[in-house]
Amino acid sequence: MSNIKACIFDLDGTLTDTIRAIAHFGNMALSAYGMEPIPTEDYKMYVGDGRDKLIHRILAARGNDTADMFERVRDVYDENYEKDYLYDTNAYDGIPELIAALKEKGVKTAVCSNKPDNVVHFVTDNIFGESCFDAVRGVIDGMPTKPDPRSALEIAAALKADPSECLFLGDTNVDILTAKNAGMTSVGVLWGFRSKTELVQAGADYIAENPHVILQLI
Protein backbone atom coordinates (compact mmCIF):
# COMPACT_ATOMS: atom_id res chain seq x y z
CA MET A 1 0.00 0.00 0.00
CA SER A 2 2.83 2.36 -0.93
CA ASN A 3 0.55 5.03 -2.39
CA ILE A 4 -0.86 6.08 1.00
CA LYS A 5 -0.24 9.79 1.59
CA ALA A 6 -2.47 10.40 4.60
CA CYS A 7 -3.95 8.66 7.63
CA ILE A 8 -7.17 10.14 8.99
CA PHE A 9 -8.02 9.01 12.51
CA ASP A 10 -11.19 8.97 14.53
CA LEU A 11 -10.58 10.36 18.04
CA ASP A 12 -12.50 8.57 20.83
CA GLY A 13 -11.72 4.87 20.86
CA THR A 14 -9.03 5.23 18.22
CA LEU A 15 -6.49 7.80 19.39
CA THR A 16 -7.76 8.40 22.91
CA ASP A 17 -9.25 6.12 25.55
CA THR A 18 -12.25 8.13 26.78
CA ILE A 19 -14.95 5.60 27.63
CA ARG A 20 -14.59 6.07 31.40
CA ALA A 21 -14.81 9.84 30.97
CA ILE A 22 -17.91 9.61 28.78
CA ALA A 23 -19.58 7.27 31.26
CA HIS A 24 -18.62 9.56 34.15
CA PHE A 25 -20.21 12.65 32.61
CA GLY A 26 -23.19 10.72 31.25
CA ASN A 27 -23.96 9.23 34.63
CA MET A 28 -23.52 12.58 36.35
CA ALA A 29 -26.17 14.00 34.04
CA LEU A 30 -28.52 11.08 34.64
CA SER A 31 -28.12 11.26 38.40
CA ALA A 32 -28.97 14.97 38.34
CA TYR A 33 -32.49 13.88 37.42
CA GLY A 34 -32.72 10.86 39.68
CA MET A 35 -31.85 8.19 37.10
CA GLU A 36 -29.66 5.19 37.86
CA PRO A 37 -26.13 5.13 36.38
CA ILE A 38 -25.35 2.99 33.36
CA PRO A 39 -22.39 0.57 33.46
CA THR A 40 -19.29 1.97 31.77
CA GLU A 41 -19.07 -1.04 29.43
CA ASP A 42 -22.56 -0.29 28.08
CA TYR A 43 -21.45 3.15 26.95
CA LYS A 44 -19.28 1.50 24.29
CA MET A 45 -22.47 0.82 22.32
CA TYR A 46 -23.86 4.31 22.82
CA VAL A 47 -20.95 6.39 21.52
CA GLY A 48 -19.74 7.09 17.99
CA ASP A 49 -22.48 9.26 16.52
CA GLY A 50 -21.93 12.45 18.46
CA ARG A 51 -23.10 13.84 21.79
CA ASP A 52 -26.80 14.22 20.96
CA LYS A 53 -27.27 10.58 20.01
CA LEU A 54 -25.31 9.53 23.08
CA ILE A 55 -27.75 11.45 25.28
CA HIS A 56 -30.77 10.01 23.48
CA ARG A 57 -29.40 6.48 23.90
CA ILE A 58 -28.67 6.71 27.60
CA LEU A 59 -32.10 8.25 28.20
CA ALA A 60 -33.73 5.49 26.17
CA ALA A 61 -31.86 2.96 28.30
CA ARG A 62 -33.57 4.55 31.29
CA GLY A 63 -36.96 4.79 29.56
CA ASN A 64 -36.99 8.57 29.70
CA ASP A 65 -36.06 9.86 26.25
CA THR A 66 -38.43 12.82 26.02
CA ALA A 67 -37.65 16.14 24.32
CA ASP A 68 -37.68 17.98 27.64
CA MET A 69 -35.48 15.49 29.45
CA PHE A 70 -33.06 15.36 26.52
CA GLU A 71 -32.44 19.09 26.79
CA ARG A 72 -32.06 18.95 30.57
CA VAL A 73 -29.62 16.03 30.58
CA ARG A 74 -27.67 17.37 27.60
CA ASP A 75 -27.18 20.71 29.36
CA VAL A 76 -25.90 19.05 32.54
CA TYR A 77 -23.61 16.79 30.50
CA ASP A 78 -22.17 19.78 28.63
CA GLU A 79 -21.79 21.90 31.75
CA ASN A 80 -19.75 19.25 33.54
CA TYR A 81 -17.75 18.11 30.52
CA GLU A 82 -16.77 21.66 29.60
CA LYS A 83 -15.12 22.02 33.01
CA ASP A 84 -12.65 19.21 32.30
CA TYR A 85 -12.25 18.04 28.71
CA LEU A 86 -9.24 15.94 29.70
CA TYR A 87 -10.88 14.04 32.56
CA ASP A 88 -9.58 10.44 32.51
CA THR A 89 -8.49 10.86 28.88
CA ASN A 90 -5.22 9.42 27.58
CA ALA A 91 -3.67 8.32 24.33
CA TYR A 92 -3.79 4.59 23.75
CA ASP A 93 -0.49 2.74 24.12
CA GLY A 94 1.50 2.91 20.92
CA ILE A 95 -0.42 5.80 19.36
CA PRO A 96 2.17 8.58 19.94
CA GLU A 97 4.85 6.26 18.52
CA LEU A 98 2.64 5.47 15.52
CA ILE A 99 2.08 9.15 14.75
CA ALA A 100 5.83 9.84 15.01
CA ALA A 101 6.63 6.93 12.71
CA LEU A 102 4.09 8.09 10.13
CA LYS A 103 5.66 11.54 10.14
CA GLU A 104 9.08 10.00 9.57
CA LYS A 105 7.67 8.22 6.53
CA GLY A 106 6.23 11.47 5.19
CA VAL A 107 2.63 10.35 5.70
CA LYS A 108 0.24 13.17 6.66
CA THR A 109 -1.92 12.65 9.75
CA ALA A 110 -5.34 14.08 10.60
CA VAL A 111 -8.24 13.70 13.02
CA CYS A 112 -11.91 13.49 12.03
CA SER A 113 -14.31 13.24 14.96
CA ASN A 114 -18.02 13.57 15.73
CA LYS A 115 -17.14 15.57 18.85
CA PRO A 116 -17.53 19.37 18.70
CA ASP A 117 -14.68 20.98 16.78
CA ASN A 118 -13.42 23.09 19.69
CA VAL A 119 -13.27 20.02 21.94
CA VAL A 120 -11.38 17.98 19.35
CA HIS A 121 -8.78 20.73 18.96
CA PHE A 122 -8.42 21.14 22.73
CA VAL A 123 -7.96 17.40 23.32
CA THR A 124 -5.52 16.82 20.47
CA ASP A 125 -3.49 19.94 21.34
CA ASN A 126 -3.16 18.89 24.97
CA ILE A 127 -2.69 15.14 24.55
CA PHE A 128 -0.51 15.13 21.42
CA GLY A 129 0.75 18.70 20.97
CA GLU A 130 -0.49 21.60 18.88
CA SER A 131 1.57 20.76 15.81
CA CYS A 132 1.13 17.00 15.93
CA PHE A 133 -1.54 16.60 13.24
CA ASP A 134 -1.66 18.18 9.82
CA ALA A 135 -5.43 18.68 10.07
CA VAL A 136 -7.98 18.38 12.88
CA ARG A 137 -11.73 18.46 12.33
CA GLY A 138 -14.66 18.00 14.67
CA VAL A 139 -18.32 18.81 14.22
CA ILE A 140 -19.05 22.38 13.17
CA ASP A 141 -22.58 23.81 13.34
CA GLY A 142 -24.41 23.11 10.09
CA MET A 143 -22.00 20.39 9.01
CA PRO A 144 -23.14 16.77 8.73
CA THR A 145 -21.55 14.20 11.04
CA LYS A 146 -19.87 10.93 10.13
CA PRO A 147 -20.67 8.69 8.30
CA ASP A 148 -21.33 11.57 5.90
CA PRO A 149 -18.00 11.89 4.05
CA ARG A 150 -17.86 15.68 3.78
CA SER A 151 -15.39 16.32 6.61
CA ALA A 152 -13.16 13.44 5.56
CA LEU A 153 -13.10 14.69 1.96
CA GLU A 154 -12.33 18.24 3.05
CA ILE A 155 -9.44 16.95 5.15
CA ALA A 156 -8.09 14.99 2.17
CA ALA A 157 -8.29 18.10 -0.01
CA ALA A 158 -6.48 20.17 2.62
CA LEU A 159 -3.73 17.55 2.75
CA LYS A 160 -3.55 17.49 -1.06
CA ALA A 161 -4.29 13.77 -1.07
CA ASP A 162 -6.75 11.96 -3.29
CA PRO A 163 -9.30 9.93 -1.28
CA SER A 164 -7.79 6.77 -2.76
CA GLU A 165 -4.48 7.78 -1.13
CA CYS A 166 -6.00 7.99 2.36
CA LEU A 167 -6.46 5.48 5.14
CA PHE A 168 -9.43 6.21 7.39
CA LEU A 169 -9.04 4.55 10.79
CA GLY A 170 -11.66 4.07 13.47
CA ASP A 171 -13.16 1.72 16.03
CA THR A 172 -16.85 1.72 15.01
CA ASN A 173 -19.02 0.94 12.01
CA VAL A 174 -19.57 4.70 11.67
CA ASP A 175 -15.88 5.11 10.80
CA ILE A 176 -15.88 2.24 8.33
CA LEU A 177 -18.95 3.66 6.58
CA THR A 178 -17.33 7.11 6.51
CA ALA A 179 -14.32 5.66 4.74
CA LYS A 180 -16.50 3.85 2.22
CA ASN A 181 -18.60 6.94 1.56
CA ALA A 182 -15.45 8.98 1.01
CA GLY A 183 -13.77 6.42 -1.26
CA MET A 184 -10.97 5.83 1.25
CA THR A 185 -9.38 2.61 2.51
CA SER A 186 -10.93 1.66 5.83
CA VAL A 187 -9.06 0.27 8.82
CA GLY A 188 -11.01 -0.99 11.82
CA VAL A 189 -9.04 -0.85 15.07
CA LEU A 190 -9.64 -3.40 17.81
CA TRP A 191 -8.34 -1.49 20.83
CA GLY A 192 -11.38 0.82 20.91
CA PHE A 193 -15.02 0.51 21.86
CA ARG A 194 -16.52 -1.99 19.42
CA SER A 195 -16.02 -5.58 18.33
CA LYS A 196 -14.19 -7.13 15.41
CA THR A 197 -17.52 -8.57 14.27
CA GLU A 198 -19.04 -5.10 13.92
CA LEU A 199 -16.06 -3.80 11.96
CA VAL A 200 -15.99 -6.81 9.63
CA GLN A 201 -19.73 -6.66 9.04
CA ALA A 202 -19.41 -2.96 8.20
CA GLY A 203 -16.94 -3.97 5.47
CA ALA A 204 -13.59 -2.85 6.87
CA ASP A 205 -10.82 -3.31 4.32
CA TYR A 206 -8.34 -4.11 7.06
CA ILE A 207 -8.44 -4.91 10.76
CA ALA A 208 -5.66 -3.68 13.07
CA GLU A 209 -5.12 -5.43 16.40
CA ASN A 210 -2.56 -2.85 17.50
CA PRO A 211 -1.06 0.39 16.19
CA HIS A 212 2.02 -1.37 14.82
CA VAL A 213 -0.15 -3.18 12.27
CA ILE A 214 -0.91 0.17 10.62
CA LEU A 215 2.77 0.71 9.87
CA GLN A 216 2.89 -2.78 8.37
CA LEU A 217 -0.05 -1.94 6.13
CA ILE A 218 1.64 1.20 4.84
Side-chain angles (χ1 to χ4, degrees):
M1 209 186 297
S2 59
N3 65 328
I4 295 299
K5 291 184 178 179
C7 286
I8 304 174
F9 294 87
D10 169 51
L11 182 60
D12 290 354
T14 302
L15 295 175
T16 53
D17 185 1
T18 54
I19 199 64
R20 293 177 301 280
I22 293 168
H24 170 75
F25 291 116
N27 286 335
M28 283 182 70
L30 290 175
S31 68
Y33 292 97
M35 287 175 273
E36 290 294 315
I38 292 171
T40 298
E41 193 69 17
D42 291 1
Y43 274 86
K44 291 183 177 181
M45 295 306 298
Y46 299 150
V47 299
D49 295 289
R51 179 258 277 141
D52 285 2
K53 290 203 176 163
L54 167 68
I55 301 301
H56 280 302
R57 287 166 180 164
I58 64 175
L59 285 173
R62 290 292 170 256
N64 203 4
D65 188 18
T66 64
D68 178 63
M69 188 55 68
F70 167 78
E71 290 190 5
R72 290 169 182 263
V73 169
R74 179 198 59 195
D75 289 349
V76 173
Y77 180 91
D78 287 351
E79 180 183 358
N80 287 309
Y81 184 45
E82 286 167 6
K83 293 176 183 175
D84 192 359
Y85 287 139
L86 300 178
Y87 177 87
D88 207 353
T89 293
N90 300 285
Y92 282 106
D93 289 345
I95 289 296
E97 294 81 3
L98 169 62
I99 302 302
L102 290 172
K103 288 180 177 294
E104 287 182 10
K105 292 178 177 293
V107 177
K108 302 279 190 180
T109 60
V111 180
C112 182
S113 171
N114 275 343
K115 274 190 167 179
D117 188 65
N118 66 308
V119 179
V120 178
H121 279 271
F122 184 88
V123 171
T124 54
D125 286 353
N126 282 277
I127 298 291
F128 299 100
E130 292 184 15
S131 61
C132 181
F133 296 99
D134 298 291
V136 174
R137 176 70 66 86
V139 175
I140 300 169
D141 287 345
M143 287 281 289
T145 58
K146 298 182 296 183
D148 186 284
R150 182 170 167 183
S151 290
L153 290 171
E154 289 185 355
I155 289 171
L159 300 182
K160 296 181 171 54
D162 187 84
S164 65
E165 299 172 321
C166 298
L167 290 187
F168 196 100
L169 306 97
D171 66 309
T172 75
N173 56 0
V174 172
D175 299 306
I176 304 307
L177 294 173
T178 303
K180 290 187 172 300
N181 293 337
M184 299 177 179
T185 300
S186 59
V187 181
V189 306
L190 296 185
W191 56 83
F193 302 158
R194 301 286 178 81
S195 67
K196 181 177 181 179
T197 299
E198 174 178 313
L199 297 169
V200 170
Q201 289 179 344
D205 295 307
Y206 297 94
I207 298 292
E209 294 183 356
N210 58 65
H212 184 67
V213 172
I214 294 160
L215 291 177
Q216 295 175 333
L217 288 176
I218 292 174

